[in-house]
Amino acid sequence: LASFLFIHASQAFFPFASSQDLEQLRRMARHIDLDSRGANGRDGQHGRDGPHGPVFSADGYGGDPGERGTNGVAGGFVNIALKVNEFDGTIKISGLVGRYSEIGTVLETSLPLGDRNTSIFADVRGGNGGNGGLGGNGGHGADGKNGYDATRTTFGTNGGPGGNGGDGGRGGEGGSPGAGGLCTIYIEDERDMDALILIKNPINCQPGEQGLGGFGGQPGLPGKGGKGGLPCNWTTTRHYSVGKTHSTRILRHSNRGGANGPDGRAGRRGMDGRSSPSATDGKVEIVVKQDGGFTAIYRWRYDLSVVWHEASPLKGDGIIEPGCMVQLFLTVENTGGCPTPKYQDILMHLQDNEWVSFVPAYLPIKRCIAPTETFMTPEPLIFRVTKRSKVAKGDPFNVRGI
């Protein structure tokens, strides 16, 4: 049942507004978006990969470092004053809105009071820092040249050494985020506190997200050592004669081959770039000029939430069923940052739907509720459950309206 509840912090009653004026106000219903977010930083360019070793046994070249991300821009500012005009039923909104380091734009407009379709959104968050670029990968070492094979007159030569892999480039550092901006809302007369209901939460004054450091480049692979030259083996034949005796002797000869060349070593992985430090939060201030000339500063407006409810039928056996009248007691808590208006009633009502209809139109709360304070309605909200034409059979009738 609590899902049907709507709470209004102001009672819009304008004795001087005609029906044509009120219709004009309804057509004016709209949203105002005050966007003063800081611009995001740009991500850094990735480093170029190092070239591979160009000739036998040559080392690979190191990868280039990634570029640093650029900084996000700090959030801007929103300075507005809200003033209720009871003669035409509007809230005058005036002030200055701008980006960081800008002079700002003058704001002069109005919204109808008492219309739930009107609202003001503000955003002064800082821009995100750009991420650092990736480090370039190291180039691969070249393979060693193979040795020459041995001949009958020369030994085989050794294979050449493999080239070393190039080191990966360092990742770029993340760009710094922009700090949160400042939103200041002025209420020149405490009697206009009901105008704060137009401000929709949350007003984002957080800093931008940190720029992340880029990953270091991958190391280059080592070159393989060249193969040693093959040995040379051959034979010769000698003939011997002693008297009438003849013999033949085969002689075996060999020239050694070369040794395989050593493999190169792998390059080193590049170091990761550092992420940027976080930036500072901005600030939201609601400045209210109170009776007696005092000024109060709040961090946020009032906000009422239902924390407890109890429903029971007005008559009968205690069972809520179609066609019966139900009373609903509520406890609400001010979860906001400032007191509710003390010069206007808080009007509570249930929104009709296909299952319930509210009687009467509103239940007023004629007192101010401080932040963190809870308040139980002294009188119940009364509503009627829609009567069903067909009687449910079998399982008990059970429905949930949303």
Side-chain angles (χ1 to χ4, degrees), residues 147-158 228-234 253-259:
Y148 293 105
D149 294 340
T151 66
R152 292 188 177 189
T153 57
T154 61
F155 295 118
T157 59
N158 296 332
L230 297 174
C232 181
N233 300 309
W234 73 97
H253 307 277
S254 177
N255 277 343
R256 67 177 181 272

Short mmCIF file of all heavy atoms in Angstrom, two decimals, residues 147-158 228-234 253-259:
data_model
loop_
_atom_site.label_atom_id
_atom_site.label_comp_id
_atom_site.label_asym_id
_atom_site.label_seq_id
_atom_site.Cartn_x
_atom_site.Cartn_y
_atom_site.Cartn_z
N GLY A 147 75.77 -21.46 -39.22
CA GLY A 147 77.19 -21.57 -39.57
C GLY A 147 77.38 -22.29 -40.90
O GLY A 147 76.49 -22.98 -41.41
N TYR A 148 78.61 -22.13 -41.46
CA TYR A 148 78.97 -22.80 -42.71
C TYR A 148 79.36 -24.24 -42.41
O TYR A 148 80.00 -24.55 -41.39
CB TYR A 148 80.10 -22.09 -43.41
CG TYR A 148 79.72 -20.70 -43.92
CD1 TYR A 148 80.17 -19.56 -43.26
CD2 TYR A 148 78.94 -20.58 -45.06
CE1 TYR A 148 79.81 -18.30 -43.73
CE2 TYR A 148 78.59 -19.32 -45.54
CZ TYR A 148 79.02 -18.18 -44.85
OH TYR A 148 78.67 -16.93 -45.31
N ASP A 149 78.96 -25.12 -43.31
CA ASP A 149 79.34 -26.52 -43.15
C ASP A 149 80.84 -26.69 -43.38
O ASP A 149 81.49 -25.93 -44.12
CB ASP A 149 78.58 -27.38 -44.15
CG ASP A 149 77.08 -27.40 -43.88
OD1 ASP A 149 76.67 -27.07 -42.73
OD2 ASP A 149 76.31 -27.73 -44.81
N ALA A 150 81.36 -27.69 -42.70
CA ALA A 150 82.79 -28.00 -42.89
C ALA A 150 83.03 -28.57 -44.29
O ALA A 150 82.15 -29.15 -44.92
CB ALA A 150 83.23 -28.99 -41.83
N THR A 151 84.25 -28.40 -44.78
CA THR A 151 84.68 -28.98 -46.06
C THR A 151 85.93 -29.83 -45.79
O THR A 151 86.37 -29.96 -44.66
CB THR A 151 85.00 -27.88 -47.08
OG1 THR A 151 86.16 -27.14 -46.61
CG2 THR A 151 83.82 -26.93 -47.26
N ARG A 152 86.47 -30.38 -46.83
CA ARG A 152 87.68 -31.18 -46.66
C ARG A 152 88.87 -30.35 -46.23
O ARG A 152 89.85 -30.86 -45.71
CB ARG A 152 88.02 -31.94 -47.95
CG ARG A 152 87.02 -33.02 -48.30
CD ARG A 152 87.52 -33.83 -49.48
NE ARG A 152 86.60 -34.93 -49.80
CZ ARG A 152 86.85 -35.89 -50.66
NH1 ARG A 152 88.02 -35.88 -51.34
NH2 ARG A 152 85.98 -36.86 -50.88
N THR A 153 88.69 -29.03 -46.45
CA THR A 153 89.83 -28.17 -46.12
C THR A 153 89.55 -27.21 -44.98
O THR A 153 90.46 -26.53 -44.52
CB THR A 153 90.22 -27.35 -47.36
OG1 THR A 153 89.10 -26.59 -47.80
CG2 THR A 153 90.70 -28.27 -48.50
N THR A 154 88.28 -27.14 -44.52
CA THR A 154 87.93 -26.18 -43.45
C THR A 154 87.00 -26.85 -42.45
O THR A 154 86.27 -27.80 -42.75
CB THR A 154 87.22 -24.95 -44.03
OG1 THR A 154 86.01 -25.37 -44.67
CG2 THR A 154 88.12 -24.20 -45.00
N PHE A 155 87.10 -26.33 -41.25
CA PHE A 155 86.15 -26.75 -40.23
C PHE A 155 84.82 -26.01 -40.42
O PHE A 155 84.77 -24.93 -41.01
CB PHE A 155 86.69 -26.45 -38.82
CG PHE A 155 87.92 -27.24 -38.48
CD1 PHE A 155 89.12 -26.58 -38.21
CD2 PHE A 155 87.88 -28.62 -38.41
CE1 PHE A 155 90.26 -27.31 -37.88
CE2 PHE A 155 89.02 -29.35 -38.09
CZ PHE A 155 90.21 -28.68 -37.83
N GLY A 156 83.73 -26.60 -39.86
CA GLY A 156 82.45 -25.90 -39.86
C GLY A 156 82.47 -24.72 -38.89
O GLY A 156 83.17 -24.74 -37.87
N THR A 157 81.74 -23.68 -39.21
CA THR A 157 81.68 -22.50 -38.33
C THR A 157 80.45 -22.56 -37.43
O THR A 157 79.46 -23.24 -37.71
CB THR A 157 81.63 -21.21 -39.16
OG1 THR A 157 80.49 -21.23 -40.01
CG2 THR A 157 82.89 -21.08 -40.01
N ASN A 158 80.56 -21.82 -36.31
CA ASN A 158 79.46 -21.79 -35.34
C ASN A 158 78.27 -20.97 -35.86
O ASN A 158 78.45 -20.02 -36.65
CB ASN A 158 79.92 -21.19 -34.02
CG ASN A 158 80.99 -22.04 -33.35
OD1 ASN A 158 81.03 -23.27 -33.54
ND2 ASN A 158 81.84 -21.40 -32.56
N GLY A 228 74.82 -24.63 -36.01
CA GLY A 228 76.22 -24.79 -36.39
C GLY A 228 76.36 -25.53 -37.71
O GLY A 228 75.50 -26.35 -38.08
N GLY A 229 77.45 -25.23 -38.40
CA GLY A 229 77.70 -25.92 -39.66
C GLY A 229 77.90 -27.42 -39.46
O GLY A 229 78.42 -27.87 -38.43
N LEU A 230 77.49 -28.20 -40.42
CA LEU A 230 77.60 -29.65 -40.34
C LEU A 230 79.06 -30.08 -40.52
O LEU A 230 79.85 -29.44 -41.24
CB LEU A 230 76.73 -30.30 -41.40
CG LEU A 230 75.22 -30.04 -41.28
CD1 LEU A 230 74.50 -30.65 -42.49
CD2 LEU A 230 74.68 -30.61 -39.97
N PRO A 231 79.45 -31.17 -39.86
CA PRO A 231 80.82 -31.67 -40.08
C PRO A 231 80.98 -32.28 -41.48
O PRO A 231 80.00 -32.62 -42.14
CB PRO A 231 80.97 -32.74 -39.00
CG PRO A 231 79.57 -33.21 -38.73
CD PRO A 231 78.69 -32.00 -38.93
N CYS A 232 82.24 -32.42 -41.91
CA CYS A 232 82.54 -33.03 -43.22
C CYS A 232 83.30 -34.35 -43.00
O CYS A 232 84.36 -34.37 -42.34
CB CYS A 232 83.39 -32.08 -44.06
SG CYS A 232 83.79 -32.73 -45.71
N ASN A 233 82.73 -35.40 -43.47
CA ASN A 233 83.35 -36.72 -43.34
C ASN A 233 83.65 -37.27 -44.74
O ASN A 233 82.78 -37.22 -45.62
CB ASN A 233 82.43 -37.67 -42.58
CG ASN A 233 82.10 -37.17 -41.17
OD1 ASN A 233 83.01 -36.84 -40.43
ND2 ASN A 233 80.83 -37.11 -40.83
N TRP A 234 84.86 -37.85 -44.90
CA TRP A 234 85.19 -38.44 -46.21
C TRP A 234 86.22 -39.56 -46.01
O TRP A 234 86.80 -39.70 -44.93
CB TRP A 234 85.69 -37.38 -47.18
CG TRP A 234 87.07 -36.85 -46.92
CD1 TRP A 234 88.21 -37.27 -47.54
CD2 TRP A 234 87.46 -35.85 -46.00
NE1 TRP A 234 89.29 -36.59 -47.08
CE2 TRP A 234 88.85 -35.69 -46.12
CE3 TRP A 234 86.78 -35.04 -45.08
CZ2 TRP A 234 89.58 -34.79 -45.35
CZ3 TRP A 234 87.49 -34.15 -44.34
CH2 TRP A 234 88.87 -34.03 -44.46
N HIS A 253 88.37 -39.73 -42.77
CA HIS A 253 88.79 -38.36 -42.37
C HIS A 253 87.54 -37.58 -41.94
O HIS A 253 86.42 -37.86 -42.37
CB HIS A 253 89.46 -37.64 -43.54
CG HIS A 253 90.58 -38.42 -44.16
ND1 HIS A 253 91.87 -38.45 -43.67
CD2 HIS A 253 90.59 -39.24 -45.25
CE1 HIS A 253 92.61 -39.21 -44.42
NE2 HIS A 253 91.86 -39.72 -45.40
N SER A 254 87.72 -36.58 -41.10
CA SER A 254 86.59 -35.76 -40.62
C SER A 254 87.09 -34.38 -40.22
O SER A 254 88.12 -34.25 -39.55
CB SER A 254 85.92 -36.45 -39.43
OG SER A 254 84.88 -35.64 -38.94
N ASN A 255 86.35 -33.38 -40.65
CA ASN A 255 86.51 -32.00 -40.13
C ASN A 255 85.25 -31.66 -39.33
O ASN A 255 84.13 -31.84 -39.80
CB ASN A 255 86.69 -31.00 -41.27
CG ASN A 255 88.12 -30.95 -41.75
OD1 ASN A 255 89.03 -31.41 -41.04
ND2 ASN A 255 88.34 -30.39 -42.93
N ARG A 256 85.48 -31.21 -38.09
CA ARG A 256 84.34 -30.98 -37.19
C ARG A 256 83.41 -29.88 -37.70
O ARG A 256 83.84 -28.96 -38.41
CB ARG A 256 84.82 -30.66 -35.79
CG ARG A 256 85.54 -29.31 -35.69
CD ARG A 256 85.94 -29.00 -34.24
NE ARG A 256 86.60 -27.72 -34.15
CZ ARG A 256 87.90 -27.50 -34.30
NH1 ARG A 256 88.71 -28.54 -34.59
NH2 ARG A 256 88.41 -26.30 -34.19
N GLY A 257 82.13 -30.02 -37.28
CA GLY A 257 81.16 -28.97 -37.60
C GLY A 257 81.16 -27.87 -36.55
O GLY A 257 81.87 -27.94 -35.53
N GLY A 258 80.35 -26.85 -36.78
CA GLY A 258 80.26 -25.73 -35.84
C GLY A 258 79.19 -25.96 -34.76
O GLY A 258 78.28 -26.78 -34.92
N ALA A 259 79.32 -25.23 -33.66
CA ALA A 259 78.34 -25.31 -32.57
C ALA A 259 77.13 -24.42 -32.87
O ALA A 259 77.23 -23.41 -33.58
CB ALA A 259 78.98 -24.88 -31.25
#
